[in-house]
Amino acid sequence: MKNTYQCGSIPLTSFVCQAIPGIREMAGRSEMQGREPVNEQMVANMYTSMRTELNQIYSKITELEMEVSEHSLVINAIQPLDPTRRCYRMIGGVLVERNIKEVLPAVQRNKEGIEEVVARLNEALEKKKKEIADFEAKYKIRMRKADSDMKDEEGSKKEGGSQGVLVGPAGSAD
């Protein structure tokens, strides 16, 4: 029997929870956020928490997409080789000797599992974005640019008008 957890309204299997450390905590936070805040500080804290969770989802998606890429590289490298050829695979910190016909299906299954997790995280990401947008609309939250960002924008506007062509040294035409 698979253990299932909820991340927002998305059911997560125990495989997903093992693949994504911290996903159970993220699932618990969404339950906590069902309460109405009583003051501005609580609104700000909830908003910060939601933004932090959104950033965590972004970073986890990026990390898992890198793993999918690595799995693809391995699959492409070993697929054309002789199926009886010996290869090594790291399983739980232990290097195990197998042959390609045993390893290739396992790597492909792992890749598919990770892609499924990425798809679910993308769904969770979209729901979280919508939740944040609704929260911003409900409490009229606007992001204020920092003073340094404002100065950077003003400086780039001034520099943009004076951009020109970069040429080499004058004496190198010989």
Side-chain angles (χ1 to χ4, degrees):
M1 181 174 130
K2 287 186 179 178
N3 294 332
T4 57
Y5 303 92
Q6 290 287 120
C7 182
S9 62
I10 299 172
L12 302 171
T13 63
S14 58
F15 171 75
V16 172
C17 292
Q18 290 170 356
I20 308 171
I23 195 76
R24 289 184 188 146
E25 290 79 19
M26 282 189 226
R29 275 189 234 135
S30 61
E31 295 168 3
M32 172 184 77
Q33 292 174 349
R35 295 179 289 190
E36 286 293 317
V38 278
N39 61 25
E40 287 181 23
Q41 186 61 43
M42 285 185 70
V43 170
N45 289 343
M46 285 179 70
Y47 183 70
T48 303
S49 170
M50 292 166 72
R51 298 288 297 186
T52 301
E53 187 175 341
L54 184 73
N55 290 335
Q56 287 175 342
I57 294 172
Y58 269 125
S59 63
K60 188 51 70 175
I61 287 172
T62 303
E63 178 185 331
L64 291 175
E65 284 175 343
M66 293 296 287
E67 283 192 31
V68 167
S69 172
E70 290 173 8
H71 277 70
S72 295
L73 288 172
V74 170
I75 290 168
N76 291 338
I78 67 174
Q79 211 163 20
L81 300 175
D82 179 29
T84 59
R85 185 170 174 171
R86 167 174 46 180
C87 67
Y88 297 91
R89 179 172 182 219
M90 184 76 73
I91 301 176
V94 178
L95 196 59
V96 180
E97 182 180 331
R98 299 276 188 242
N99 59 31
I100 291 178
K101 71 179 179 189
E102 295 172 353
V103 170
L104 187 59
V107 173
Q108 289 171 333
R109 274 193 310 275
N110 284 350
K111 179 184 171 197
E112 291 167 4
I114 295 170
E115 287 171 338
E116 180 184 324
V117 171
V118 169
R120 288 188 181 180
L121 282 174
N122 279 322
E123 291 174 13
L125 180 69
E126 292 306 314
K127 287 184 180 182
K128 183 54 70 178
K129 282 181 180 178
K130 184 180 182 319
E131 182 182 335
I132 288 174
D134 293 345
F135 194 83
E136 288 173 343
K138 182 176 180 179
Y139 293 103
K140 299 180 178 105
I141 297 173
R142 288 176 287 142
M143 294 302 290
R144 194 175 0 159
K145 291 189 177 186
D147 291 337
S148 61
D149 291 343
M150 298 281 262
K151 290 176 185 174
D152 290 343
E153 281 184 11
E154 290 171 7
S156 65
K157 287 178 186 174
K158 290 177 186 174
E159 291 172 12
S162 64
Q163 290 181 347
V165 178
L166 181 63
V167 292
S172 65
D174 294 296

mmCIF file of all heavy atoms in Angstrom, residues 108-147:
data_model
loop_
_atom_site.group_PDB
_atom_site.id
_atom_site.type_symbol
_atom_site.label_atom_id
_atom_site.label_comp_id
_atom_site.label_asym_id
_atom_site.label_seq_id
_atom_site.Cartn_x
_atom_site.Cartn_y
_atom_site.Cartn_z
ATOM 1 N N GLN A 108 15.579 4.058 -17.205
ATOM 2 C CA GLN A 108 14.431 4.627 -17.924
ATOM 3 C C GLN A 108 13.226 4.794 -16.999
ATOM 4 O O GLN A 108 12.537 5.819 -17.055
ATOM 5 C CB GLN A 108 14.073 3.747 -19.123
ATOM 6 C CG GLN A 108 15.089 3.832 -20.233
ATOM 7 C CD GLN A 108 14.876 2.812 -21.331
ATOM 8 O OE1 GLN A 108 14.326 1.738 -21.118
ATOM 9 N NE2 GLN A 108 15.339 3.145 -22.541
ATOM 10 N N ARG A 109 12.984 3.812 -16.112
ATOM 11 C CA ARG A 109 11.876 3.925 -15.144
ATOM 12 C C ARG A 109 12.111 5.098 -14.198
ATOM 13 O O ARG A 109 11.189 5.857 -13.899
ATOM 14 C CB ARG A 109 11.725 2.635 -14.342
ATOM 15 C CG ARG A 109 10.879 1.583 -14.991
ATOM 16 C CD ARG A 109 10.503 0.475 -14.015
ATOM 17 N NE ARG A 109 11.647 -0.068 -13.281
ATOM 18 C CZ ARG A 109 12.448 -1.031 -13.715
ATOM 19 N NH1 ARG A 109 12.261 -1.555 -14.900
ATOM 20 N NH2 ARG A 109 13.444 -1.463 -12.973
ATOM 21 N N ASN A 110 13.355 5.222 -13.723
ATOM 22 C CA ASN A 110 13.673 6.341 -12.824
ATOM 23 C C ASN A 110 13.447 7.673 -13.516
ATOM 24 O O ASN A 110 12.901 8.604 -12.918
ATOM 25 C CB ASN A 110 15.115 6.247 -12.342
ATOM 26 C CG ASN A 110 15.304 5.190 -11.288
ATOM 27 O OD1 ASN A 110 14.351 4.625 -10.768
ATOM 28 N ND2 ASN A 110 16.553 4.900 -10.981
ATOM 29 N N LYS A 111 13.867 7.766 -14.765
ATOM 30 C CA LYS A 111 13.683 9.005 -15.526
ATOM 31 C C LYS A 111 12.200 9.333 -15.660
ATOM 32 O O LYS A 111 11.775 10.477 -15.456
ATOM 33 C CB LYS A 111 14.322 8.879 -16.903
ATOM 34 C CG LYS A 111 14.164 10.117 -17.760
ATOM 35 C CD LYS A 111 14.721 9.902 -19.141
ATOM 36 C CE LYS A 111 14.340 11.070 -20.028
ATOM 37 N NZ LYS A 111 14.486 10.790 -21.425
ATOM 38 N N GLU A 112 11.386 8.321 -15.992
ATOM 39 C CA GLU A 112 9.936 8.541 -16.122
ATOM 40 C C GLU A 112 9.327 8.969 -14.797
ATOM 41 O O GLU A 112 8.455 9.852 -14.751
ATOM 42 C CB GLU A 112 9.261 7.273 -16.637
ATOM 43 C CG GLU A 112 9.600 6.956 -18.082
ATOM 44 C CD GLU A 112 9.195 5.552 -18.500
ATOM 45 O OE1 GLU A 112 8.572 4.819 -17.682
ATOM 46 O OE2 GLU A 112 9.504 5.167 -19.640
ATOM 47 N N GLY A 113 9.786 8.361 -13.698
ATOM 48 C CA GLY A 113 9.286 8.739 -12.377
ATOM 49 C C GLY A 113 9.627 10.177 -12.036
ATOM 50 O O GLY A 113 8.795 10.926 -11.509
ATOM 51 N N ILE A 114 10.843 10.580 -12.356
ATOM 52 C CA ILE A 114 11.260 11.959 -12.077
ATOM 53 C C ILE A 114 10.476 12.932 -12.947
ATOM 54 O O ILE A 114 10.058 13.998 -12.479
ATOM 55 C CB ILE A 114 12.780 12.120 -12.284
ATOM 56 C CG1 ILE A 114 13.534 11.284 -11.253
ATOM 57 C CG2 ILE A 114 13.191 13.574 -12.166
ATOM 58 C CD1 ILE A 114 15.027 11.185 -11.513
ATOM 59 N N GLU A 115 10.236 12.564 -14.211
ATOM 60 C CA GLU A 115 9.437 13.425 -15.095
ATOM 61 C C GLU A 115 8.019 13.581 -14.567
ATOM 62 O O GLU A 115 7.430 14.664 -14.649
ATOM 63 C CB GLU A 115 9.416 12.858 -16.516
ATOM 64 C CG GLU A 115 10.723 13.032 -17.253
ATOM 65 C CD GLU A 115 10.782 12.296 -18.575
ATOM 66 O OE1 GLU A 115 10.016 11.314 -18.768
ATOM 67 O OE2 GLU A 115 11.593 12.708 -19.431
ATOM 68 N N GLU A 116 7.463 12.512 -13.987
ATOM 69 C CA GLU A 116 6.126 12.585 -13.394
ATOM 70 C C GLU A 116 6.120 13.543 -12.198
ATOM 71 O O GLU A 116 5.208 14.355 -12.037
ATOM 72 C CB GLU A 116 5.688 11.187 -12.943
ATOM 73 C CG GLU A 116 4.317 11.143 -12.303
ATOM 74 C CD GLU A 116 3.977 9.754 -11.793
ATOM 75 O OE1 GLU A 116 4.367 8.767 -12.433
ATOM 76 O OE2 GLU A 116 3.312 9.683 -10.741
ATOM 77 N N VAL A 117 7.163 13.465 -11.385
ATOM 78 C CA VAL A 117 7.276 14.356 -10.233
ATOM 79 C C VAL A 117 7.392 15.800 -10.698
ATOM 80 O O VAL A 117 6.755 16.708 -10.131
ATOM 81 C CB VAL A 117 8.481 13.956 -9.347
ATOM 82 C CG1 VAL A 117 8.743 14.997 -8.277
ATOM 83 C CG2 VAL A 117 8.254 12.601 -8.713
ATOM 84 N N VAL A 118 8.172 16.036 -11.753
ATOM 85 C CA VAL A 118 8.328 17.391 -12.293
ATOM 86 C C VAL A 118 6.978 17.914 -12.782
ATOM 87 O O VAL A 118 6.624 19.075 -12.537
ATOM 88 C CB VAL A 118 9.393 17.430 -13.423
ATOM 89 C CG1 VAL A 118 9.356 18.753 -14.159
ATOM 90 C CG2 VAL A 118 10.775 17.195 -12.856
ATOM 91 N N ALA A 119 6.208 17.053 -13.453
ATOM 92 C CA ALA A 119 4.886 17.472 -13.935
ATOM 93 C C ALA A 119 3.976 17.845 -12.770
ATOM 94 O O ALA A 119 3.277 18.867 -12.821
ATOM 95 C CB ALA A 119 4.253 16.358 -14.768
ATOM 96 N N ARG A 120 4.007 17.048 -11.719
ATOM 97 C CA ARG A 120 3.182 17.364 -10.537
ATOM 98 C C ARG A 120 3.648 18.643 -9.854
ATOM 99 O O ARG A 120 2.833 19.437 -9.386
ATOM 100 C CB ARG A 120 3.190 16.204 -9.556
ATOM 101 C CG ARG A 120 2.384 15.037 -10.045
ATOM 102 C CD ARG A 120 2.258 13.993 -8.989
ATOM 103 N NE ARG A 120 1.495 12.871 -9.495
ATOM 104 C CZ ARG A 120 1.217 11.802 -8.814
ATOM 105 N NH1 ARG A 120 1.659 11.689 -7.564
ATOM 106 N NH2 ARG A 120 0.513 10.822 -9.331
ATOM 107 N N LEU A 121 4.954 18.827 -9.796
ATOM 108 C CA LEU A 121 5.461 20.058 -9.200
ATOM 109 C C LEU A 121 5.102 21.272 -10.045
ATOM 110 O O LEU A 121 4.838 22.350 -9.494
ATOM 111 C CB LEU A 121 6.976 19.978 -9.001
ATOM 112 C CG LEU A 121 7.444 19.172 -7.800
ATOM 113 C CD1 LEU A 121 8.953 19.041 -7.795
ATOM 114 C CD2 LEU A 121 6.969 19.805 -6.504
ATOM 115 N N ASN A 122 5.081 21.120 -11.358
ATOM 116 C CA ASN A 122 4.654 22.230 -12.218
ATOM 117 C C ASN A 122 3.193 22.572 -11.962
ATOM 118 O O ASN A 122 2.819 23.751 -11.951
ATOM 119 C CB ASN A 122 4.890 21.901 -13.695
ATOM 120 C CG ASN A 122 6.322 22.141 -14.106
ATOM 121 O OD1 ASN A 122 6.950 23.095 -13.664
ATOM 122 N ND2 ASN A 122 6.847 21.279 -14.951
ATOM 123 N N GLU A 123 2.357 21.544 -11.743
ATOM 124 C CA GLU A 123 0.951 21.802 -11.382
ATOM 125 C C GLU A 123 0.883 22.543 -10.050
ATOM 126 O O GLU A 123 0.133 23.514 -9.913
ATOM 127 C CB GLU A 123 0.178 20.483 -11.268
ATOM 128 C CG GLU A 123 -0.044 19.753 -12.567
ATOM 129 C CD GLU A 123 -0.682 18.389 -12.363
ATOM 130 O OE1 GLU A 123 -1.177 18.090 -11.248
ATOM 131 O OE2 GLU A 123 -0.685 17.605 -13.322
ATOM 132 N N ALA A 124 1.653 22.073 -9.083
ATOM 133 C CA ALA A 124 1.676 22.720 -7.771
ATOM 134 C C ALA A 124 2.176 24.153 -7.890
ATOM 135 O O ALA A 124 1.677 25.055 -7.206
ATOM 136 C CB ALA A 124 2.557 21.928 -6.810
ATOM 137 N N LEU A 125 3.153 24.370 -8.763
ATOM 138 C CA LEU A 125 3.694 25.706 -8.983
ATOM 139 C C LEU A 125 2.629 26.640 -9.526
ATOM 140 O O LEU A 125 2.477 27.769 -9.039
ATOM 141 C CB LEU A 125 4.882 25.634 -9.949
ATOM 142 C CG LEU A 125 5.568 26.940 -10.281
ATOM 143 C CD1 LEU A 125 6.313 27.462 -9.057
ATOM 144 C CD2 LEU A 125 6.520 26.742 -11.436
ATOM 145 N N GLU A 126 1.871 26.182 -10.507
ATOM 146 C CA GLU A 126 0.806 27.016 -11.080
ATOM 147 C C GLU A 126 -0.270 27.324 -10.036
ATOM 148 O O GLU A 126 -0.744 28.459 -9.954
ATOM 149 C CB GLU A 126 0.191 26.331 -12.307
ATOM 150 C CG GLU A 126 1.125 26.247 -13.489
ATOM 151 C CD GLU A 126 1.709 27.590 -13.890
ATOM 152 O OE1 GLU A 126 0.959 28.575 -13.985
ATOM 153 O OE2 GLU A 126 2.936 27.657 -14.098
ATOM 154 N N LYS A 127 -0.625 26.330 -9.232
ATOM 155 C CA LYS A 127 -1.616 26.567 -8.179
ATOM 156 C C LYS A 127 -1.082 27.564 -7.147
ATOM 157 O O LYS A 127 -1.818 28.425 -6.670
ATOM 158 C CB LYS A 127 -2.009 25.252 -7.509
ATOM 159 C CG LYS A 127 -2.882 24.397 -8.385
ATOM 160 C CD LYS A 127 -3.334 23.152 -7.696
ATOM 161 C CE LYS A 127 -4.207 22.346 -8.646
ATOM 162 N NZ LYS A 127 -4.726 21.148 -8.037
ATOM 163 N N LYS A 128 0.201 27.427 -6.814
ATOM 164 C CA LYS A 128 0.796 28.331 -5.831
ATOM 165 C C LYS A 128 0.857 29.755 -6.381
ATOM 166 O O LYS A 128 0.588 30.719 -5.672
ATOM 167 C CB LYS A 128 2.195 27.845 -5.444
ATOM 168 C CG LYS A 128 2.873 28.661 -4.370
ATOM 169 C CD LYS A 128 2.080 28.827 -3.102
ATOM 170 C CE LYS A 128 1.943 27.582 -2.309
ATOM 171 N NZ LYS A 128 1.189 27.784 -1.049
ATOM 172 N N LYS A 129 1.186 29.889 -7.675
ATOM 173 C CA LYS A 129 1.203 31.219 -8.298
ATOM 174 C C LYS A 129 -0.179 31.848 -8.237
ATOM 175 O O LYS A 129 -0.320 33.033 -7.926
ATOM 176 C CB LYS A 129 1.643 31.124 -9.764
ATOM 177 C CG LYS A 129 3.114 30.951 -9.980
ATOM 178 C CD LYS A 129 3.386 30.894 -11.470
ATOM 179 C CE LYS A 129 4.822 30.719 -11.812
ATOM 180 N NZ LYS A 129 5.043 30.622 -13.264
ATOM 181 N N LYS A 130 -1.207 31.048 -8.537
ATOM 182 C CA LYS A 130 -2.580 31.558 -8.504
ATOM 183 C C LYS A 130 -2.960 31.933 -7.078
ATOM 184 O O LYS A 130 -3.564 32.980 -6.846
ATOM 185 C CB LYS A 130 -3.546 30.517 -9.058
ATOM 186 C CG LYS A 130 -4.979 31.019 -9.155
ATOM 187 C CD LYS A 130 -5.898 29.962 -9.711
ATOM 188 C CE LYS A 130 -7.315 30.407 -9.887
ATOM 189 N NZ LYS A 130 -7.875 31.229 -8.836
ATOM 190 N N GLU A 131 -2.574 31.093 -6.123
ATOM 191 C CA GLU A 131 -2.864 31.363 -4.722
ATOM 192 C C GLU A 131 -2.202 32.671 -4.278
ATOM 193 O O GLU A 131 -2.816 33.498 -3.596
ATOM 194 C CB GLU A 131 -2.352 30.189 -3.871
ATOM 195 C CG GLU A 131 -2.634 30.304 -2.400
ATOM 196 C CD GLU A 131 -2.061 29.128 -1.633
ATOM 197 O OE1 GLU A 131 -1.872 28.040 -2.202
ATOM 198 O OE2 GLU A 131 -1.797 29.320 -0.420
ATOM 199 N N ILE A 132 -0.962 32.883 -4.701
ATOM 200 C CA ILE A 132 -0.249 34.115 -4.349
ATOM 201 C C ILE A 132 -0.906 35.315 -5.018
ATOM 202 O O ILE A 132 -1.081 36.371 -4.392
ATOM 203 C CB ILE A 132 1.244 34.007 -4.714
ATOM 204 C CG1 ILE A 132 1.940 33.042 -3.754
ATOM 205 C CG2 ILE A 132 1.921 35.369 -4.676
ATOM 206 C CD1 ILE A 132 3.380 32.737 -4.105
ATOM 207 N N ALA A 133 -1.291 35.164 -6.289
ATOM 208 C CA ALA A 133 -1.953 36.270 -6.994
ATOM 209 C C ALA A 133 -3.278 36.623 -6.319
ATOM 210 O O ALA A 133 -3.603 37.812 -6.146
ATOM 211 C CB ALA A 133 -2.183 35.896 -8.457
ATOM 212 N N ASP A 134 -4.049 35.611 -5.910
ATOM 213 C CA ASP A 134 -5.306 35.853 -5.199
ATOM 214 C C ASP A 134 -5.042 36.544 -3.858
ATOM 215 O O ASP A 134 -5.767 37.458 -3.465
ATOM 216 C CB ASP A 134 -6.070 34.549 -4.976
ATOM 217 C CG ASP A 134 -6.583 33.936 -6.261
ATOM 218 O OD1 ASP A 134 -6.615 34.642 -7.302
ATOM 219 O OD2 ASP A 134 -6.943 32.736 -6.245
ATOM 220 N N PHE A 135 -4.006 36.091 -3.167
ATOM 221 C CA PHE A 135 -3.638 36.681 -1.875
ATOM 222 C C PHE A 135 -3.237 38.135 -2.057
ATOM 223 O O PHE A 135 -3.644 39.001 -1.279
ATOM 224 C CB PHE A 135 -2.496 35.859 -1.261
ATOM 225 C CG PHE A 135 -2.238 36.137 0.186
ATOM 226 C CD1 PHE A 135 -2.996 35.525 1.167
ATOM 227 C CD2 PHE A 135 -1.221 37.000 0.575
ATOM 228 C CE1 PHE A 135 -2.750 35.770 2.512
ATOM 229 C CE2 PHE A 135 -0.967 37.260 1.906
ATOM 230 C CZ PHE A 135 -1.735 36.644 2.884
ATOM 231 N N GLU A 136 -2.436 38.411 -3.115
ATOM 232 C CA GLU A 136 -2.020 39.785 -3.398
ATOM 233 C C GLU A 136 -3.226 40.659 -3.712
ATOM 234 O O GLU A 136 -3.309 41.803 -3.265
ATOM 235 C CB GLU A 136 -1.044 39.821 -4.578
ATOM 236 C CG GLU A 136 0.325 39.287 -4.254
ATOM 237 C CD GLU A 136 1.223 39.167 -5.477
ATOM 238 O OE1 GLU A 136 0.726 39.195 -6.624
ATOM 239 O OE2 GLU A 136 2.441 39.038 -5.288
ATOM 240 N N ALA A 137 -4.176 40.129 -4.477
ATOM 241 C CA ALA A 137 -5.370 40.903 -4.827
ATOM 242 C C ALA A 137 -6.247 41.140 -3.595
ATOM 243 O O ALA A 137 -6.751 42.245 -3.388
ATOM 244 C CB ALA A 137 -6.161 40.182 -5.908
ATOM 245 N N LYS A 138 -6.407 40.111 -2.776
ATOM 246 C CA LYS A 138 -7.268 40.212 -1.591
ATOM 247 C C LYS A 138 -6.740 41.249 -0.602
ATOM 248 O O LYS A 138 -7.501 42.037 -0.054
ATOM 249 C CB LYS A 138 -7.370 38.851 -0.910
ATOM 250 C CG LYS A 138 -8.272 38.836 0.292
ATOM 251 C CD LYS A 138 -8.393 37.432 0.862
ATOM 252 C CE LYS A 138 -9.306 37.410 2.068
ATOM 253 N NZ LYS A 138 -9.444 36.058 2.616
ATOM 254 N N TYR A 139 -5.438 41.250 -0.390
ATOM 255 C CA TYR A 139 -4.842 42.153 0.603
ATOM 256 C C TYR A 139 -4.143 43.357 -0.034
ATOM 257 O O TYR A 139 -3.420 44.085 0.649
ATOM 258 C CB TYR A 139 -3.878 41.374 1.511
ATOM 259 C CG TYR A 139 -4.620 40.376 2.363
ATOM 260 C CD1 TYR A 139 -4.603 39.022 2.044
ATOM 261 C CD2 TYR A 139 -5.353 40.788 3.468
ATOM 262 C CE1 TYR A 139 -5.296 38.110 2.812
ATOM 263 C CE2 TYR A 139 -6.047 39.882 4.241
ATOM 264 C CZ TYR A 139 -6.017 38.538 3.910
ATOM 265 O OH TYR A 139 -6.712 37.633 4.668
ATOM 266 N N LYS A 140 -4.337 43.537 -1.341
ATOM 267 C CA LYS A 140 -3.779 44.676 -2.077
ATOM 268 C C LYS A 140 -2.274 44.799 -1.847
ATOM 269 O O LYS A 140 -1.764 45.862 -1.497
ATOM 270 C CB LYS A 140 -4.499 45.955 -1.689
ATOM 271 C CG LYS A 140 -5.979 45.920 -2.010
ATOM 272 C CD LYS A 140 -6.667 47.199 -1.612
ATOM 273 C CE LYS A 140 -8.118 47.135 -1.997
ATOM 274 N NZ LYS A 140 -9.024 46.927 -0.909
ATOM 275 N N ILE A 141 -1.572 43.698 -2.094
ATOM 276 C CA ILE A 141 -0.124 43.667 -1.907
ATOM 277 C C ILE A 141 0.538 44.024 -3.229
ATOM 278 O O ILE A 141 0.206 43.478 -4.269
ATOM 279 C CB ILE A 141 0.336 42.268 -1.446
ATOM 280 C CG1 ILE A 141 -0.278 41.945 -0.083
ATOM 281 C CG2 ILE A 141 1.861 42.203 -1.391
ATOM 282 C CD1 ILE A 141 -0.034 40.539 0.377
ATOM 283 N N ARG A 142 1.458 44.967 -3.167
ATOM 284 C CA ARG A 142 2.262 45.331 -4.336
ATOM 285 C C ARG A 142 3.716 45.237 -3.937
ATOM 286 O O ARG A 142 4.096 45.670 -2.856
ATOM 287 C CB ARG A 142 1.938 46.747 -4.804
ATOM 288 C CG ARG A 142 0.575 46.856 -5.475
ATOM 289 C CD ARG A 142 0.268 48.271 -5.825
ATOM 290 N NE ARG A 142 -0.028 48.972 -4.560
ATOM 291 C CZ ARG A 142 0.335 50.210 -4.284
ATOM 292 N NH1 ARG A 142 0.991 50.924 -5.163
ATOM 293 N NH2 ARG A 142 0.038 50.762 -3.133
ATOM 294 N N MET A 143 4.537 44.731 -4.833
ATOM 295 C CA MET A 143 5.967 44.631 -4.553
ATOM 296 C C MET A 143 6.600 45.995 -4.807
ATOM 297 O O MET A 143 6.426 46.571 -5.874
ATOM 298 C CB MET A 143 6.628 43.577 -5.446
ATOM 299 C CG MET A 143 6.157 42.163 -5.159
ATOM 300 S SD MET A 143 6.431 41.641 -3.464
ATOM 301 C CE MET A 143 8.191 41.506 -3.455
ATOM 302 N N ARG A 144 7.315 46.476 -3.825
ATOM 303 C CA ARG A 144 7.993 47.759 -3.937
ATOM 304 C C ARG A 144 9.428 47.486 -4.350
ATOM 305 O O ARG A 144 10.096 46.617 -3.785
ATOM 306 C CB ARG A 144 7.968 48.459 -2.584
ATOM 307 C CG ARG A 144 8.333 49.896 -2.651
ATOM 308 C CD ARG A 144 8.195 50.598 -1.332
ATOM 309 N NE ARG A 144 7.733 49.752 -0.244
ATOM 310 C CZ ARG A 144 7.903 50.026 1.029
ATOM 311 N NH1 ARG A 144 8.515 51.115 1.390
ATOM 312 N NH2 ARG A 144 7.452 49.226 1.973
ATOM 313 N N LYS A 145 9.909 48.224 -5.347
ATOM 314 C CA LYS A 145 11.290 48.040 -5.786
ATOM 315 C C LYS A 145 12.225 48.678 -4.773
ATOM 316 O O LYS A 145 11.942 49.739 -4.231
ATOM 317 C CB LYS A 145 11.510 48.674 -7.150
ATOM 318 C CG LYS A 145 10.781 47.948 -8.259
ATOM 319 C CD LYS A 145 11.202 48.474 -9.583
ATOM 320 C CE LYS A 145 10.505 47.681 -10.672
ATOM 321 N NZ LYS A 145 10.982 48.062 -11.984
ATOM 322 N N ALA A 146 13.355 48.037 -4.572
ATOM 323 C CA ALA A 146 14.360 48.575 -3.655
ATOM 324 C C ALA A 146 14.991 49.814 -4.284
ATOM 325 O O ALA A 146 14.985 49.984 -5.502
ATOM 326 C CB ALA A 146 15.419 47.527 -3.371
ATOM 327 N N ASP A 147 15.547 50.682 -3.443
ATOM 328 C CA ASP A 147 16.168 51.914 -3.934
ATOM 329 C C ASP A 147 17.295 51.615 -4.918
ATOM 330 O O ASP A 147 17.451 52.290 -5.920
ATOM 331 C CB ASP A 147 16.717 52.739 -2.764
ATOM 332 C CG ASP A 147 15.594 53.322 -1.914
ATOM 333 O OD1 ASP A 147 14.472 53.472 -2.451
ATOM 334 O OD2 ASP A 147 15.831 53.616 -0.727
#
